[in-house]
Each structure stands twice: as structure tokens, then as C-alpha cells.
Amino acid sequence: MSTARQLVKSTGYLTASRLSGDLLYFVFYVLLSRAFGREGIGAYSFALELTSTLFIVADYGLSVYLVRELSRR
């Protein structure tokens, strides 16, 4: 298989999986909104954003640490 064909195939898989994931997220969010209402979805969004922000900070520190430790070996 040529490189161009493999690239197109891989890009197609990535695009399809991304669209599927976004569709599932949308359905999940709509169902969650109906179940918890306006106040509940606001609390959920706040908790998700806070967790995401803390995860980004923690991931940055771990990435630097792992690169340093792995480069020693």
C-alpha cells in the first residue's frame, strides 16, 4: 500500500472516530441536561472545568518529570 493511500486511510479513521466521539458526547450532554436541569448541569460543568484545569497543570509537571527521568536512561 502506498504512503499516500495509508495516510488517507489513517486520516479517515481518525476523522470517523472523532465525529463518533463528538456525537456521543452531544447525546450524553443532552441526556444529562434533561436529567439534572439547569442548576445540575451548571454544577457538572463547573466540576468538569475545574478537574480539566487541574489535570492540565498536573500533566505538564508529569511530562517534564518523565522526560527528564527517561533521558537519564
Side-chain angles (χ1 to χ4, degrees), residues 12-70:
Y13 285 143
L14 181 63
T15 302
S17 64
R18 179 104 186 200
L19 287 174
S20 299
D22 287 346
L23 180 64
L24 284 174
Y25 178 76
F26 178 74
V27 169
F28 172 74
Y29 202 75
V30 167
L31 293 175
L32 198 68
S33 296
R34 288 181 178 253
F36 291 131
R38 185 178 291 177
E39 292 81 18
I41 203 67
Y44 171 77
S45 297
F46 174 75
L48 194 63
E49 181 59 35
L50 180 64
T51 306
S52 299
T53 303
L54 294 175
F55 179 75
I56 290 169
V57 171
D59 184 49
Y60 178 72
L62 287 175
S63 296
V64 171
Y65 176 74
L66 285 175
V67 168
R68 184 174 60 227
E69 289 299 315
L70 291 174

